[in-house]
């Protein structure tokens, strides 16, 4: 992905102070999130070395950047389905970490209430439930294919309490993780 120019000190100051007077002069894009924003965007401040400047939103979008859901440069919106798909991509690679709705909203440039509502509308479950499903899928794979302890599996898939992991697993599978592991091995 190509990037525009590095921000000058003046442009960086406009970004860090959310200066609305620069909104018509440039947009900035963040390479790590592939999102472009107005200088006045109130999202979390990116690292300066990950920011590049474009003279227009169109140039940024031609390079593969998407408009921010929070500041909506040029009043363009990312379609909700595409937004949820990006969130899912992130969850599928980060489910093992502690993620909150606030963290997702900040990362994907929207309010937590809007993100929760749109996500549930499109996916039929909340982001937390989807992440739990991903954790359980990976836990079942590890129970089937490894000799890791229940505690190790719980920690590896993002449950920071093995008791909670066992309770969630049992509610989903009607078996404890250990019972599931023995059943799978006996069925082979």
């Amino acid at each position: 992905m190509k990037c525009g120019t590095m921000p000058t000190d003046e442009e960086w100051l406009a970004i860090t102070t959310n200066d609305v007077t620069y909104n018509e002069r440039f947009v900035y894009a963040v390479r790590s999130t592939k999102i472009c924003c107005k200088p006045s965007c109130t999202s979390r401040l990116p690292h300066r070395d990950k920011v590049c400047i474009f003279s227009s939103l169109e140039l940024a979008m031609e390079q593969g950047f998407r408009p921010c859901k929070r500041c909506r440069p040029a009043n363009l919106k990312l379609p909700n389905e595409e937004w949820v798909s990006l969130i899912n991509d992130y969850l599928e690679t980060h489910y093992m970490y502690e993620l909150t709705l606030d963290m997702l909203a900040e990362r994907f440039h929207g309010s937590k209430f809007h993100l929760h509502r749109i996500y549930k509308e499109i996916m039929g479950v909340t982001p937390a439930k989807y992440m739990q499903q991903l954790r359980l899928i990976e836990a079942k794979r590890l129970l089937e294919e490894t000799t890791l302890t229940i505690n190790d599996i719980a920690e590896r898939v993002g449950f920071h309490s093995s008791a909670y992991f066992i309770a969630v697993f049992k509610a989903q599978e009607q078996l404890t993780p250990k019972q599931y592991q023995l059943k799978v091995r006996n069925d082979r």
Side-chain angles (χ1 to χ4, degrees):
M1 173 181 297
K2 284 185 170 180
C3 203
T5 61
M6 296 300 294
T8 65
D9 289 341
E10 179 183 0
E11 290 165 335
W12 183 244
L13 182 62
I15 293 167
T16 60
T17 59
N18 307 112
D19 191 335
V20 71
T21 62
Y22 283 80
N23 282 353
E24 302 303 317
R25 297 184 195 180
F26 69 90
V27 296
Y28 73 92
V30 183
R31 287 192 298 277
S32 57
T33 62
K34 298 178 182 72
I35 293 173
C36 55
C37 299
K38 296 175 186 178
S40 65
C41 188
T42 58
S43 63
R44 191 176 81 173
L45 186 65
H47 292 279
R48 185 174 181 168
D49 62 340
K50 300 213 186 294
V51 171
C52 49
I53 304 297
F54 290 95
S55 60
S56 71
L57 175 63
E58 292 73 25
L59 290 173
M61 291 178 67
E62 284 174 13
Q63 298 304 318
F65 292 96
R66 297 175 304 278
C68 172
K69 290 286 271 189
R70 179 173 288 164
C71 69
R72 296 187 312 224
N75 295 321
L76 294 177
K77 285 185 168 181
L78 182 65
N80 288 336
E81 291 79 10
E82 188 178 337
W83 192 43
V84 168
S85 177
L86 293 171
I87 295 167
N88 281 343
D89 291 345
Y90 185 78
L91 292 176
E92 289 164 9
T93 57
H94 293 82
Y95 65 86
M96 68 289 300
Y97 303 111
E98 185 176 338
L99 296 174
T100 66
L101 197 54
D102 285 327
M103 293 164 74
L104 290 174
E106 175 128 350
R107 177 164 190 87
F108 291 98
H109 298 249
S111 79
K112 67 181 182 179
F113 305 107
H114 181 68
L115 186 149
H116 189 269
R117 183 177 57 77
I118 295 299
Y119 191 95
K120 188 169 183 183
E121 181 180 297
I122 291 172
M123 293 294 295
V125 294
T126 65
K129 184 67 173 174
Y130 183 68
M131 192 165 54
Q132 185 179 81
Q133 291 170 352
L134 294 170
R135 288 174 173 169
L136 290 173
I137 289 167
E138 179 63 7
K140 286 167 56 174
R141 187 191 71 76
L142 292 171
L143 287 165
E144 294 168 11
E145 299 176 6
T146 71
T147 58
L148 292 171
T149 67
I150 302 304
N151 288 342
D152 289 342
I153 291 172
E155 190 172 317
R156 188 172 284 192
V157 300
F159 289 97
H160 299 293
S161 159
S162 58
Y164 181 64
F165 166 60
I166 292 167
V168 169
F169 193 94
K170 188 171 183 179
Q172 177 71 32
E173 298 297 322
Q174 285 70 52
L175 298 169
T176 66
K178 193 65 175 171
Q179 290 169 332
Y180 178 85
Q181 191 176 50
L182 292 172
K183 180 181 182 308
V184 167
R185 291 187 179 157
N186 288 337
D187 290 347
R188 287 185 183 161

